[in-house]
Amino acid sequence: CSANSHMMGPLLVLWLAVFLSGTWAVDRGNFKTCDQSAFCKRQRALKPGQSPYRALLETLELTNTKLTLQLINDNNKVRLLLELYRLQGNMTRVKINELKPLKPRFEVPDVLINNPPTEPLSLLSQDENGVVLSLGADSQWLIVSAKPFRLDIMEGREVLLSLNSRGLLAFEHLRIRKDTQVDPEGAEKKEETDAANEQAEGEVAEWVLNVVCPGWLFSPTGPSSISLDFSLPGVEHVYGIPEHADSLKLKTTDGGDPYRLFNLDVFQYELFNPMALYGAIPVMLSHSAQRTMGIFWLNAAETWVDISSNTAGKTVFGQMLDYVQGSSETPQTDVRWISESGIIDVFIMLGPTPTDVFSQYASLTGTQAFPPLSALAYHQCRWNYNDQEDVAAVDQGFDEHDIPYDFIWLDIEHTDGKRYFTWDPHKFPQPKDMLQGLMDKRRKMVTIVDPHIKVDSSYKIHNEIRSKGFYVKNKDGGDYEGWCWPGNSGYPDFTNPEMRAWWASMFAYDQYEGSMENMYTWNDMNEPSVFNGPEVTMHKDALHGNWENRDLHNLYGLYVQMATAEGLIERSGGVERPFVLTRAFFAGSQRYGAVWTGDNTAEWEHLKISIPMCLSLGLVGVSFCGADVGGFFKSPSTELLVRWYQTGAYQPFFRAHAHLDTPRREPWLFGPENTALIREAVRQRYALLPYWYQLFYHAHHSGQPVMRPLWVEYPQDTATFSMDDQFLLGRDLLVHPVTEEGGRGVTAYLPGKGEVWFDVHTFQKHNGAQNLYIPVTISSIPVFQRGGSIIPRKARVRRSSSCMEHDPYTLFVALSPKRFAQGELYIDDGHTFNFDKQKQFIHRRLSFANKALSSRNLAPGSQFITPSWIEKIVILGASKPSKATLKTPDGKENLLEFEFDASMSVLTLRKPGVNAGVDWTVVLQ
């Protein structure tokens, strides 16, 4: 398993043959189960019971910022240090580390956007059994029980959350090895025996792997895993901890593997299982009709999450029997986190609403980067467009078939022998000419830049990284090398800020030859993928400075995207917003761009799973998510391809992509009827770009997800808690894509008692709080606008979003008997940071009340001028007026032409002609 083994040449050829064939499913043998992961197996062997840990109350110290307290393991007398912080915004932070470790244990840097501000804890009472601390508002307090050690967070008489209530706190302390200069076989076995008495049988098999593959050896100070349990009374639904190809509501893991968080390149991943995938965000949300909370486990090592519930597995009959018999058992979900190394550093976000939890998490790790508007449009990609002529032909094909698009993408074959930052001199001899051709049509390109660097003494990038000592090292101090697309490759150490700064400088126009301002970047394979490494990734004993990869593995992809995004910003002198797509990610990745769900397959189930996968990411901060339209592997039927375009048009990141071996699938290759269906789906996306852009503006400012489960807006409606075949965009659009083969109808749940919802295509009005059966044809995309909302659109068809920049707006006003209608209009230049640095934007409140529609300034301190105007106003659920009058601040009044469809109660006001950036009112009489 050595990365430098001379056997890896033939093995790589074999691996590539399998990979490129596109016919194999995931090989589970390549990836560990919990039983095959020594630390997970050891920790999971520890069953709930009385904890050996005791709080030493005499060591308690309370300052203005934190409480510190020592814990002791009564079995081995090792002491831990507990730190408790009350954070601003209704959060509590719990840190547990060794009191006197042999060496420092890894603490995750660069994920938190600042040192979270604290508020004072006050001591309410203390005796020999524990202490009670006030958490401030709403009668919240924290109880520290001494023996056994336990934490409870309460509100009034209600326990919100408990730590170590099941006694599963476990902290493998660092130890000096006792095997200096002895046989490694005996040393390894002895160390494991000393480390944990509960070693299970079968560990010898992993020990053999450890000896053969040094990356799987324990570190010199022995096993260092950690574990902690959390109990959530009253909770039956938990979400988050992406990335997994699974349902939105997380399943219990009793009798199976825990959910695994360990960034891996998983070939043709399976659905509905807890296997690790490309990214890892250790954030879980709990939700009940009473409260939403979150747990952020800040640890970048391999992590496993167990979930159990006292209501799991009960049949409907069993639940009815509980009710009839008067069972008073409170539902409860128990969660256990297990990580290979590092410390316990957990943030408990106490909500109480979903919006509060999103804001709390955003205050810790930041918000979604505000993308250029064009990045929210349609992207065309495949592995690979062959050459400049191919790019030009595809570009022309979109124009010939009147389908808008903004970005065309180039995969690894565009480079000179898989040397990133280069171009194939034969296929792409004049990249600037190609880019200029796109720019002339106001279109853009993305090229791939992966973080594995070809070991080649004639390659400038490799030579500079090696000469600067910026590669990850192996355990012997040499440059770590492994196999990836270029063959033998080095892996830059992106944990090093000097390396990241150098990498960023390589995107400068005078460094990245052939690049221009309309070229952006795709970071793939950044888990990192190492074809001949254990589990197709980096050996755990590879060194990033003083730290092993095992300590920080899940951070690598975040750092790659961070450095790349910074490079795109720097090349413009800090003016232009970047666009960077990443496959691997961690908490905080939302600050740097978009993610996608990786190498999916052209199957109906993969289309369906794209919805819960992106919903899960949105709940933990990553709004800019999408799936490869059409499926990466295999070839979709025309029906599946059409349905995928229709679904993707209503997901945040909208890109078609395909494997090298699949037939070409540009939208016009499947006959005129299917071309027309795809064209209509893409055009619907472009018409809604003003609304998409507004949603991303809010995500950037407040952390609210763009694509969200229904329970976020209807938190007391239990019917929505497990729903993941439909979703909301913001508050006001409900989407139920057709994801069944041969589907002739879908049943959409329209939430909200007293609400009304309007079909955006037919304007038919439907009442909320009902399951609505909708007959569908191949052209149907069921989408509904919430009554009481106003949504801006742009109706004119252009070749790209940039060509729509100054087009007029149409406002769709959906009336409701329950509330006044409100909406917003956000406008800026669409691509620079001037909206933030110079307050150059327009942000307006649109309101309809008392038969008057008005536009008012929400940002008096901002300045921006737009030539765009209001072209049309469509009011759904309206009654016929006798006249409609436009009033402007200069005192002018103009009568407006209108049409009224009595059968649908739709009023259309034509050509108000008023500038989109000024105050105005339309009065109906």
Side-chain angles (χ1 to χ4, degrees):
C1 292
S2 167
N4 298 311
S5 169
H6 63 88
M7 290 297 294
M8 283 306 135
L11 284 177
L12 176 65
V13 172
L14 175 62
W15 195 96
L16 288 174
V18 172
F19 189 92
L20 294 174
S21 70
T23 58
W24 286 29
V26 63
D27 183 354
R28 287 174 174 266
N30 283 338
F31 304 102
K32 288 185 184 181
T33 64
C34 180
D35 275 350
Q36 294 166 333
S37 177
F39 79 90
C40 184
K41 185 175 181 179
R42 286 196 309 276
Q43 292 280 11
R44 222 181 184 200
L46 179 64
K47 301 304 180 185
Q50 180 149 322
S51 174
Y53 288 94
R54 173 167 53 93
L56 300 174
L57 297 180
E58 66 274 15
T59 66
L60 184 148
E61 294 183 15
L62 185 61
T63 69
N64 283 336
T65 58
K66 66 180 177 179
L67 176 145
T68 60
L69 182 65
Q70 292 181 27
L71 310 177
I72 188 168
N73 184 327
D74 283 331
N75 291 342
N76 59 20
K77 307 307 178 187
V78 172
R79 293 194 180 196
L80 306 178
L81 180 66
L82 167 72
E83 299 175 69
L84 291 176
Y85 302 81
R86 175 187 165 201
L87 303 182
Q88 290 181 12
N90 204 21
M91 293 181 286
T92 299
R93 184 180 192 178
V94 180
K95 292 181 74 173
I96 303 176
N97 197 353
E98 291 186 56
L99 180 64
K100 295 180 179 179
L102 285 178
K103 66 174 186 178
R105 297 177 69 113
F106 186 73
E107 298 188 38
V108 176
D110 301 317
V111 168
L112 302 178
I113 56 174
N114 53 37
N115 192 22
T118 62
E119 295 180 339
L121 285 161
S122 56
L123 185 63
L124 297 180
S125 66
Q126 178 176 356
D127 60 22
E128 69 277 7
N129 297 314
V131 297
V132 179
L133 301 158
S134 171
L135 289 177
D138 300 325
S139 303
Q140 287 183 357
W141 56 79
L142 189 153
I143 300 173
V144 182
S145 301
K147 186 176 181 180
F149 164 69
R150 167 177 171 153
L151 292 179
D152 292 280
I153 297 178
M154 302 189 67
E155 185 171 276
R157 297 184 176 182
E158 178 188 2
V159 177
L160 302 181
L161 177 143
S162 301
L163 283 73
N164 201 37
S165 60
R166 295 191 297 150
L168 296 174
L169 169 62
F171 215 102
E172 292 183 335
H173 62 286
L174 303 179
R175 292 162 299 285
I176 298 174
R177 290 184 68 135
K178 302 174 183 178
D179 59 306
T180 307
Q181 302 299 321
V182 297
D183 171 53
E185 179 174 337
E188 186 71 23
K189 288 191 287 188
K190 185 174 191 312
E191 181 169 329
E192 293 199 16
T193 302
D194 291 343
N197 292 325
E198 64 271 10
Q199 287 292 339
E201 292 182 9
E203 195 100 359
V204 174
E206 174 143 1
W207 165 76
V208 171
L209 287 174
N210 283 338
V211 172
V212 175
C213 299
W216 288 19
L217 280 169
F218 288 121
S219 62
T221 46
S224 58
S225 68
I226 56 175
S227 167
L228 183 60
D229 64 277
F230 300 78
S231 294
L232 299 160
V235 170
E236 295 182 79
H237 296 80
V238 290
Y239 312 90
I241 57 170
E243 184 176 34
H244 300 97
D246 208 346
S247 56
L248 174 64
K249 178 193 173 186
L250 297 171
K251 300 180 175 71
T252 58
T253 57
D254 299 329
D257 255 14
Y259 284 95
R260 191 183 186 200
L261 294 171
F262 189 61
N263 293 1
L264 292 172
D265 180 358
V266 181
F267 173 75
Q268 289 203 355
Y269 56 83
E270 291 183 5
L271 308 185
F272 303 109
N273 71 48
M275 289 177 66
L277 286 179
Y278 312 99
I281 300 181
V283 178
M284 180 183 289
L285 273 65
S286 69
H287 180 70
S288 69
Q290 289 71 45
R291 179 179 290 267
T292 308
M293 296 190 295
I295 299 171
F296 174 24
W297 178 267
L298 183 52
N299 189 296
E302 179 184 348
T303 297
W304 300 78
V305 185
D306 255 326
I307 301 170
S308 59
S309 168
N310 63 0
T311 57
K314 283 192 177 181
T315 63
V316 173
F317 176 77
Q319 293 171 348
M320 289 175 62
L321 191 63
D322 284 349
Y323 177 77
V324 171
Q325 294 176 346
S327 172
S328 61
E329 181 180 31
T330 301
Q332 178 167 306
T333 296
D334 297 311
V335 181
R336 184 186 186 190
W337 300 75
I338 302 168
S339 291
E340 184 174 10
S341 64
I343 70 166
I344 292 172
D345 189 2
V346 62
F347 296 83
I348 300 162
M349 299 169 283
L350 294 172
T353 69
T355 296
D356 291 330
V357 173
F358 301 141
S359 297
Q360 288 157 359
Y361 181 63
S363 74
L364 298 173
T365 67
T367 60
Q368 176 66 58
F370 192 26
L373 189 150
S374 57
L376 301 179
Y378 175 63
H379 301 250
Q380 181 68 32
C381 183
R382 76 172 279 112
W383 177 23
N384 204 89
Y385 286 116
N386 299 324
D387 49 34
Q388 287 183 215
E389 290 72 24
D390 197 8
V391 168
V394 172
D395 176 73
Q396 186 62 31
F398 277 89
D399 290 338
E400 290 173 356
H401 295 89
D402 293 322
I403 302 173
Y405 91 98
D406 270 64
F407 284 84
I408 191 165
W409 292 53
L410 294 180
D411 211 319
I412 55 177
E413 310 303 331
H414 84 278
T415 62
D416 182 7
K418 314 300 189 297
R419 298 169 181 87
Y420 304 107
F421 299 99
T422 71
W423 303 84
D424 184 303
H426 306 292
K427 297 178 180 178
F428 296 92
Q430 302 294 333
K432 284 193 173 182
D433 290 350
M434 174 178 62
L435 287 163
Q436 186 62 52
L438 293 171
M439 186 178 289
D440 291 344
K441 295 183 177 182
R442 304 189 73 177
R443 288 173 175 154
K444 300 169 178 66
M445 174 171 278
V446 171
T447 58
I448 197 165
V449 179
D450 287 349
H452 48 260
I453 303 300
K454 184 178 180 67
V455 176
D456 176 0
S457 59
S458 65
Y459 179 25
K460 180 188 79 169
I461 298 291
H462 164 70
N463 289 338
E464 288 203 34
I465 296 174
R466 173 162 285 180
S467 67
K468 295 176 184 293
F470 283 163
Y471 277 126
V472 174
K473 306 301 180 186
N474 59 38
K475 64 186 178 67
D476 298 319
D479 288 346
Y480 176 88
E481 294 180 1
W483 284 84
C484 209
W485 295 126
N488 197 36
S489 303
Y491 290 79
D493 185 3
F494 285 90
T495 69
N496 181 347
E498 293 181 9
M499 165 60 211
R500 295 198 300 273
W502 176 86
W503 180 267
S505 73
M506 290 299 100
F507 289 91
Y509 298 124
D510 61 353
Q511 294 292 328
Y512 192 163
E513 189 175 341
S515 65
M516 290 175 56
E517 56 267 32
N518 64 330
M519 195 178 90
Y520 298 82
T521 307
W522 172 17
N523 293 148
D524 197 2
M525 314 296 285
N526 54 336
E527 294 75 27
S529 181
V530 183
F531 292 164
N532 60 326
E535 300 194 273
V536 200
T537 194
M538 190 171 283
H539 293 71
K540 285 187 174 179
D541 64 352
L543 293 173
H544 305 259
N546 295 324
W547 299 104
E548 290 187 315
N549 181 264
R550 80 178 71 248
D551 298 312
L552 51 79
H553 175 87
N554 289 342
L555 285 174
Y556 192 84
L558 175 141
Y559 278 133
V560 174
Q561 190 185 24
M562 177 192 294
T564 302
E566 185 57 35
L568 297 190
I569 294 169
E570 286 179 3
R571 74 179 186 180
S572 71
V575 173
E576 298 289 330
R577 287 178 246 164
F579 171 69
V580 182
L581 179 72
T582 182
R583 189 169 73 175
F585 50 84
F586 189 67
S589 288
Q590 69 271 11
R591 304 197 299 263
Y592 304 109
V595 306
W596 93 106
T597 62
D599 297 341
N600 60 0
T601 302
E603 296 173 352
W604 288 92
E605 290 301 311
H606 276 262
L607 168 60
K608 294 175 189 175
I609 208 75
S610 70
I611 298 173
M613 289 182 77
C614 280
L615 287 173
S616 295
L617 281 160
L619 290 176
V620 296
V622 180
S623 273
F624 207 176
C625 167
D628 286 345
V629 169
F632 179 69
F633 290 113
K634 302 184 180 179
S635 298
S637 66
T638 52
E639 182 191 5
L640 175 57
L641 183 64
V642 167
R643 290 303 191 197
W644 216 316
Y645 268 98
Q646 293 171 341
T647 302
Y650 287 91
Q651 291 177 343
F653 177 55
F654 185 24
R655 181 186 75 153
H657 187 36
H659 188 278
L660 185 72
D661 285 348
T662 61
R664 295 289 284 257
R665 60 169 90 140
E666 283 73 49
W668 51 86
L669 297 179
F670 302 88
E673 291 184 4
N674 291 305
T675 300
L677 292 167
I678 294 171
R679 178 191 300 117
E680 173 59 23
V682 175
R683 286 182 175 181
Q684 286 187 31
R685 172 57 165 238
Y686 276 75
L688 270 174
L689 282 176
Y691 183 65
W692 279 106
Y693 197 50
Q694 170 188 311
L695 293 179
F696 270 89
Y697 176 76
H698 282 293
H700 176 65
H701 275 273
S702 66
Q704 305 304 306
V706 168
M707 176 181 174
R708 57 188 73 161
L710 272 64
W711 61 259
V712 167
E713 295 298 331
Y714 299 89
Q716 295 180 310
D717 187 346
T718 57
T720 67
F721 290 2
S722 299
M723 203 170 280
D724 62 9
D725 58 352
Q726 61 183 72
F727 53 90
L728 292 167
L729 296 177
R731 282 184 311 182
D732 297 334
L733 282 185
L734 185 151
V735 186
H736 191 308
V738 182
T739 58
E740 293 286 346
E741 185 175 12
R744 296 184 177 182
V746 299
T747 299
Y749 180 69
L750 303 181
K753 188 175 182 180
E755 297 271 21
V756 293
W757 295 86
F758 293 88
D759 185 313
V760 301
H761 309 297
T762 67
F763 303 146
Q764 180 74 43
K765 182 171 75 172
H766 303 280
N767 291 325
Q770 68 157 321
N771 288 299
L772 178 70
Y773 180 77
I774 308 154
V776 299
T777 67
I778 190 61
S779 65
S780 303
I781 314 176
V783 181
F784 300 86
Q785 181 174 343
R786 184 179 64 91
S789 67
I790 303 174
I791 291 180
R793 296 173 180 252
K794 287 191 174 183
R796 300 189 181 183
V797 177
R798 306 288 190 185
R799 61 160 51 112
S800 73
S801 66
S802 296
C803 295
M804 300 165 63
E805 180 180 4
H806 301 312
D807 281 354
Y809 291 89
T810 296
L811 304 181
F812 284 81
V813 182
L815 301 186
S816 167
K818 192 174 181 179
R819 68 176 68 84
F820 297 140
Q822 288 196 331
E824 295 176 23
L825 183 61
Y826 177 82
I827 308 170
D828 63 19
D829 64 24
H831 59 94
T832 75
F833 286 106
N834 290 347
F835 76 95
D836 185 42
K837 295 178 179 179
Q838 300 177 25
K839 305 303 177 189
Q840 293 185 5
F841 62 89
I842 291 167
H843 192 194
R844 305 198 65 80
R845 166 69 68 199
L846 305 172
S847 303
F848 186 95
N850 303 317
K851 296 187 177 182
L853 174 65
S854 62
S855 172
R856 296 291 178 265
N857 193 359
L858 277 174
S862 65
Q863 293 183 339
F864 189 72
I865 297 174
T866 177
S868 296
W869 49 285
I870 307 300
E871 180 177 42
K872 185 164 63 172
I873 299 168
V874 181
I875 304 176
L876 312 180
S879 54
K880 185 177 181 179
S882 58
K883 64 178 181 178
T885 306
L886 172 69
K887 298 182 178 181
T888 53
D890 57 10
K892 292 182 179 179
E893 295 188 5
N894 295 310
L895 289 178
L896 300 180
E897 297 178 7
F898 66 85
E899 298 173 2
F900 182 71
D901 181 342
S903 65
M904 300 302 294
S905 299
V906 176
L907 175 66
T908 303
L909 307 175
R910 299 199 175 277
K911 298 183 180 178
V914 65
N915 185 275
V918 303
D919 289 353
W920 53 265
T921 302
V922 172
V923 178
L924 306 179
Q925 294 174 305

